[in-house]
Amino acid sequence: MCGIVAYIGKKEAYPIIVKGLKRLEYRGYDSAGIALLNNGELNTYKKQGKVANLEDFTKDKDCSGHVGIGHTRWATHGPPNDVNAHPHASENGNITLVHNGIIENYNSIRQQLESKGYVFKSDTDTEVLCYLIYDIKTNTGVKLGKATRLALQQVVGAYAIVVMCKDEPNKIVVARKSSPLVVGIGKENDFYVASDATPIVEYTKQVVYLNDDEIAVLNKEKGMKLFNIDEDQKEPYIEELELRLEAIEKEGYEHFMLKEIHEQPRSIKDCFRGRLNAEKGWVSLGGIKDYEQKMIKANRIIMIACGTSWHAGLVGEYLFEDLARINVEVEYASEFRYRNPIINENDIVIAISQSGETADTLAALELAKSKGATILGICNVVGSSISRITDAGSYTHAGPEIGVASTKAFTAQVTVLTLMALYLAKLKGTISETKFRTMLSELEAIPQKVQQILDKNEGIKLIAKQYKNASNALYLGRGSSFPVALEGALKLKEISYIHAEGYPAAEMKHGPIALIDEEMPVFVIATSGPSYEKVVSNIQEVKARKGKLIAVVTEGDEQVHSIADNTIEIPDTDEHLVPLLATIPFQLLSYHIAVMRNCNVDQPRNLAKSVTVE
Ligand code: AGP
């Protein structure tokens, strides 16, 4: 999972590329590099570490040039170091390129090229592609665009690439298969290329999202020419970007994660905007309208996802089954794709993915499609790979989520799933009009209730301080709060590096209770509802063994207040909507604990925002 930025036009390329790479560091940040073409000279600089390292390294170097390519890496082949950093160049440095993805048959291509006498400098699959393009161009005399296309026809795997050549300084060549690439159209025949729109949006709102097996030649004199890999030229589809630059910056918060936690009243409202009207009593999901009959008649709905998105799917299971009486199975995409699942044309498969680029989820979806299932998507990134291969779907409209730990995307996913469950329940007549209207009103009130919880930030920070040195933690919940317990544990694990596990509260007596002692903080969701009394007895089991107990309760609760070491009150709401509220305290607790432990909250060690490798 890497970040690519490139520019060709009349401006100086260096500042555009470096600023853009910083915007893409969430996609990977173990090394970075840039190549600039200036008066026939190709200057390439690359360094292990973050883009700031590259900036320091290039301070006294020649960084002039009106065409350049840049890259920030998350290692897949070869350890993070200067040599393996991109851009990679051909033997004589004539051709250079950056790449996001994995070339699966790079070994066989490398052997083929080594037999011709080529000597490789790095361990990467990317360098192999560069030499292959060079070899074809040198031996056939074709132009860069055609040489790149011929090379890619030999490649098996995923790629988003930008290629530059000293002999053809007025152009860059871009191509895409399974890894995202966006071309921004400048006003003076200049072009901005990036892995997503965030490095482009301040320069132009006219963009072309490349599709799989497309290749484009961006010429600063002749403009853009788009082809598919089999050489047919095609008309580029230019879209208007909706992204706002300020949506990207931290807007005064210390970390993107904190900003995104506090954005949730807005992001949840944006998610149901135009899709819900409590007063008139309707839910409308235009994205899946053509498939509503298929969904209500489906013998089952399979939800596939990874990580936090998988937790959202688990909440969806409770909602779809309880409200719409539709059988739902929730699968880890990485398991689903390899276990030869039984899928047929009667199945509906819903992929849930913030980035829309997660390799396992994409592959599981492609498997379901190949077996005739109807495939739908719930994504946050417009134009992402998953959103482009699905038959239909609903965007979560949460806005860019830069923090690696997912927060607003999770509540937006749960909001979409709630809307879908209500929509289908209404169509099937499995929900009374009264219950339907009540839930719509309650859903409309969620953003302000989320705000009420966010206003308790300082009190939650004080609780976090008590547990910042814990070595382990347990999270417990029942019903649709069980996935929230899993999500709370994941948040703590991935940003504070404290080991944490989520369990159904009733599971404690089947083993985990052996872990309880005075060193073990146990976070429990004990909100009012049908399972409240049972959760209270679980809490008493924990306290009997001297466990530290932090409970999320409904405002006005007294019983749990008298037992727990700490309580965090959340506003009352319909039991089906509790996940949207109960997750907020856990997001804030994990954030503050991680900050107190001096962890890198936005870019935790070993993680990347979207895992586009398997
Ligand atoms: C969430 O905090 C994690 N960063 C991770 O589990 C993430 O949810 C997972 O990789 C799935 O990503 P996606 O939603 O973009 O597919």
Side-chain angles (χ1 to χ4, degrees):
M1 177 35 215
C2 307
I4 286 174
V5 179
Y7 172 77
I8 183 166
K10 298 183 176 59
K11 299 173 185 168
E12 280 301 310
Y14 179 86
I16 294 169
I17 292 172
V18 168
K19 190 175 181 183
L21 289 178
K22 287 182 173 175
R23 293 235 163 91
L24 295 183
E25 276 192 314
Y26 72 85
R27 302 175 61 86
Y29 39 83
D30 62 47
S31 55
I34 187 168
L36 298 155
L37 194 50
N38 186 34
N39 298 328
E41 273 313 303
L42 194 61
N43 294 312
T44 300
Y45 310 109
K46 45 190 199 174
K47 284 303 278 181
Q48 186 176 346
K50 296 213 174 133
V51 176
N53 279 20
L54 177 69
E55 264 187 310
D56 290 345
F57 178 67
T58 52
K59 269 198 171 36
D60 55 354
K61 304 286 191 309
D62 174 6
C63 293
S64 45
H66 301 299
V67 52
I69 60 180
H71 186 274
T72 180
R73 185 172 181 243
W74 192 55
T76 55
H77 289 80
N81 57 34
D82 296 0
V83 171
N84 289 335
H86 300 208
H88 286 281
S90 56
E91 200 149 57
N92 61 2
N94 195 25
I95 290 177
T96 187
L97 68 80
V98 289
H99 166 229
N100 174 27
I102 285 189
I103 295 172
E104 292 169 16
N105 63 332
Y106 82 100
N107 256 327
S108 57
I109 298 174
R110 181 171 173 138
Q111 286 160 14
Q112 167 203 335
L113 292 168
E114 281 171 336
S115 67
K116 292 184 175 181
Y118 291 107
V119 178
F120 290 89
K121 296 183 279 296
S122 80
D123 314 317
T124 66
D125 54 343
T126 305
E127 188 184 15
V128 170
L129 177 57
C130 192
Y131 275 59
L132 180 61
I133 296 170
Y134 171 79
D135 180 58
I136 292 170
K137 190 172 189 301
T138 307
N139 293 319
T140 62
V142 296
K143 293 278 188 195
L144 183 63
K146 179 148 188 173
T148 304
R149 197 161 30 74
L150 293 172
L152 292 176
Q153 285 170 355
Q154 297 182 40
V155 158
V156 174
Y159 56 79
I161 60 169
V162 185
V163 197
M164 213 163 52
C165 175
K166 268 202 294 196
D167 304 342
E168 302 180 51
N170 292 333
K171 70 180 74 163
I172 54 177
V173 176
V174 298
R176 172 233 153 106
K177 184 179 179 71
S178 301
S179 293
L181 205 59
V182 189
V183 176
I185 317 281
K187 296 184 176 62
E188 306 163 274
N189 223 11
D190 47 350
F191 296 98
Y192 306 80
V193 183
S195 301
D196 69 29
T198 47
I200 294 173
V201 66
E202 67 184 272
Y203 305 108
T204 177
K205 298 226 187 290
Q206 305 296 309
V207 296
V208 174
Y209 286 95
L210 283 193
N211 290 307
D212 280 355
D213 295 322
E214 287 185 346
I215 179 168
V217 179
L218 308 178
N219 188 310
K220 65 181 182 181
E221 277 142 22
K222 297 176 185 168
M224 176 177 187
K225 283 205 175 79
L226 181 67
F227 305 85
N228 68 29
I229 206 76
D230 305 323
E231 197 166 2
D232 310 331
Q233 187 161 352
K234 52 202 302 190
E235 203 47 44
Y237 173 56
I238 300 175
E239 302 181 42
E240 180 77 20
L241 254 189
E242 295 162 12
L243 210 58
R244 297 171 299 114
L245 181 57
E246 60 280 5
I248 301 163
E249 302 305 339
K250 292 180 192 168
E251 293 178 349
Y253 288 98
E254 190 183 351
H255 298 101
F256 279 112
M257 183 179 175
L258 187 61
K259 169 176 169 277
E260 288 146 13
I261 290 171
H262 284 274
E263 278 182 343
Q264 289 175 108
R266 184 211 37 84
S267 54
I268 291 170
K269 195 177 290 181
D270 285 349
C271 182
F272 65 54
R273 192 186 305 278
R275 293 168 162 170
L276 152 68
N277 187 314
E279 190 189 342
K280 295 191 177 118
W282 54 257
V283 170
S284 163
L285 286 168
I288 60 166
K289 184 142 189 57
D290 296 342
Y291 293 87
E292 61 188 35
Q293 290 308 316
K294 199 156 185 159
M295 291 180 85
I296 60 177
K297 293 180 184 124
N299 51 22
R300 66 178 173 171
I301 289 178
I302 302 167
M303 295 186 188
I304 55 172
C306 301
T308 285
S309 300
W310 183 76
H311 298 151
L314 289 176
V315 176
E317 177 178 10
Y318 285 93
L319 294 167
F320 276 54
E321 294 204 345
D322 190 23
L323 296 174
R325 309 307 294 155
I326 297 174
N327 173 28
V328 171
E329 294 170 17
V330 183
E331 299 268 2
Y332 277 120
S334 55
E335 288 300 308
F336 183 77
R337 63 180 291 201
Y338 290 118
R339 64 168 176 75
N340 191 19
I342 299 165
I343 312 172
N344 59 48
E345 63 285 349
N346 300 319
D347 288 322
I348 303 262
V349 174
I350 301 179
I352 305 169
S353 175
Q354 188 284 130
S355 63
E357 301 299 343
T358 299
D360 284 322
T361 308
L362 191 55
L365 207 53
E366 282 162 346
L367 171 68
K369 187 168 190 169
S370 68
K371 293 188 178 238
T374 298
I375 56 170
L376 307 178
I378 298 177
C379 295
N380 191 43
V381 178
V382 173
S384 58
S385 300
I386 288 174
S387 68
R388 301 171 91 82
I389 73 161
T390 43
D391 300 313
S394 297
Y395 283 119
T396 49
H397 299 311
E401 187 176 70
I402 309 298
V404 166
S406 189
T407 50
K408 64 176 183 174
F410 173 71
T411 49
Q413 289 164 345
V414 172
T415 300
V416 168
L417 289 163
T418 306
L419 289 167
M420 278 188 183
L422 286 168
Y423 181 68
L424 297 171
K426 191 79 167 73
L427 282 173
K428 287 188 70 175
T430 53
I431 188 170
S432 70
E433 183 62 18
T434 309
K435 173 75 173 171
F436 182 69
R437 302 293 283 254
T438 304
M439 282 203 66
L440 293 191
S441 302
E442 281 296 334
L443 188 50
E444 259 186 2
I446 286 292
Q448 87 205 27
K449 292 185 175 182
V450 167
Q451 189 55 57
Q452 289 171 33
I453 302 166
L454 295 172
D455 293 343
K456 301 179 181 206
N457 180 51
E458 288 310 307
I460 292 170
K461 189 173 175 180
L462 289 175
I463 295 173
K465 197 169 181 181
Q466 295 175 44
Y467 302 104
K468 67 182 172 63
N469 297 320
S471 306
N472 299 283
L474 283 181
Y475 286 72
L476 306 178
R478 281 181 183 255
S480 60
S481 290
F482 160 49
V484 179
L486 293 174
E487 174 58 14
L490 177 62
K491 286 284 110 25
L492 189 68
K493 269 186 277 207
E494 65 176 329
I495 63 172
S496 73
Y497 316 142
I498 293 173
H499 173 247
E501 292 306 319
Y503 278 101
E507 273 300 296
M508 282 298 287
K509 53 187 169 299
H510 300 286
I513 200 159
L515 292 170
I516 302 299
D517 61 21
E518 56 277 9
E519 300 303 314
M520 175 69 84
V522 180
F523 300 89
V524 188
I525 300 160
T527 49
S528 58
S531 56
Y532 178 76
E533 290 307 330
K534 293 190 176 55
V535 175
V536 169
S537 59
N538 297 141
I539 287 172
Q540 282 159 339
E541 288 159 14
V542 169
K543 286 309 292 172
R545 290 154 181 87
K546 301 191 176 55
K548 290 283 180 283
L549 199 111
I550 307 93
V552 175
V553 299
T554 305
E555 277 169 357
D557 179 287
E558 290 173 1
Q559 190 176 357
V560 172
H561 245 292
S562 64
I563 310 168
D565 296 273
N566 308 90
T567 51
I568 300 168
E569 291 194 346
I570 63 174
D572 191 17
T573 187
D574 181 282
E575 59 168 317
H576 296 91
L577 304 181
V578 166
L580 286 168
L581 299 182
T583 198
I584 308 296
F586 289 164
Q587 293 172 348
L588 288 171
L589 280 167
S590 58
Y591 170 79
H592 289 304
I593 288 172
V595 169
M596 291 170 191
R597 293 168 66 97
N598 298 313
C599 294
N600 185 337
V601 172
D602 281 335
Q603 295 178 350
R605 65 186 183 197
N606 310 334
L607 294 183
K609 182 58 184 170
S610 165
V611 183
T612 58
V613 292
E614 302 174 10

